[in-house]
Amino acid sequence: MQALLTISRLIDAINERIGRLMMWFVLAATLISAVNAIIRKVFGTSSNAWLEVQWYLFAAVFLLGGGYAFLRNAHVRIDFLSSKFSARTRNWVDIVGVIVFLAPLCLLMIHEGWPVFARAWVSGEMSSNAGGLIRWPVYLLIPVGFAILLLQGASEIIKRAAFLTGQGPDVLAHKEAEEGDFLVREMADDHAAATNKA
């Protein structure tokens, strides 16, 4: 199990770095969007290439950031149900969810996405828009993004299994505690602000 936990920590570190890079991609997309809008309004012109760069950056954030969202437990979860489960049940639900739903979806998207990328790579497919960009980089994001998400799913299974076998902490409990601490601090700040006004 310790060897698997080492692999899990490596996957987590990779997705942590990718997630931090995606934050810069969000900033870049925002700045490019703002500059494009200003140029279009002031000079009455725009560039399809820069519009497509925005699209590529958005696609990268969405596809490459999935593993980071899973690592940070920021994905959609039915909290009103999971909060009623015991720690062991929550961890088992996550394991089953990854194996039954996440892994097959990721494998399907990798299987279907790779040929699309390969065809665009070989053909040199370009955007149909005047001045548009080459397409293979954005197509490559599909299999790579789902491969990253699949790796994070494997990491999460390892962490859940470690908890269930008594060889690791309950990572879901830590995340819930962090959220609870944040809410407590926020309520205390609101109370202090109301007291000061009074």
Side-chain angles (χ1 to χ4, degrees), residues 13 32 39-40 44 64 66 82 100 130 154 157 167 184-185 197:
I32 291 168
I39 290 172
R40 189 169 56 252
L64 301 181
S82 65
V100 174
I157 287 177
Q167 299 178 63
V184 168
R185 285 193 304 271
K197 284 182 183 174

Side-chain angles (χ1 to χ4, degrees), residues 19-69:
R20 292 183 185 283
L21 178 62
M22 292 307 101
M23 292 175 197
W24 288 104
F25 278 28
V26 170
L27 177 61
T30 304
L31 293 174
I32 291 168
S33 176
V35 170
N36 275 339
I38 291 166
I39 290 172
R40 189 169 56 252
K41 293 292 183 188
V42 174
F43 299 106
T45 185
S46 65
S47 162
N48 284 331
W50 284 108
L51 291 172
E52 290 186 9
V53 166
Q54 287 175 234
W55 176 54
Y56 281 27
L57 288 169
F58 175 78
V61 168
F62 181 77
L63 289 166
L64 301 181
Y68 180 73

Side-chain angles (χ1 to χ4, degrees), residues 64-118:
L64 301 181
Y68 180 73
F70 197 7
L71 169 65
R72 291 293 178 181
N73 201 29
H75 57 292
V76 175
R77 183 186 292 277
I78 306 173
D79 290 328
F80 78 92
L81 284 178
S82 65
S83 64
K84 293 178 171 45
F85 296 154
S86 69
R88 291 186 66 79
T89 302
R90 273 198 311 270
N91 280 276
W92 272 114
V93 167
D94 269 20
I95 290 171
V96 171
V98 169
I99 293 170
V100 174
F101 298 107
L102 181 71
L105 172 67
C106 289
L107 291 170
L108 176 66
M109 295 305 292
I110 293 165
H111 180 265
E112 295 298 318
W114 187 261
V116 174
F117 155 71

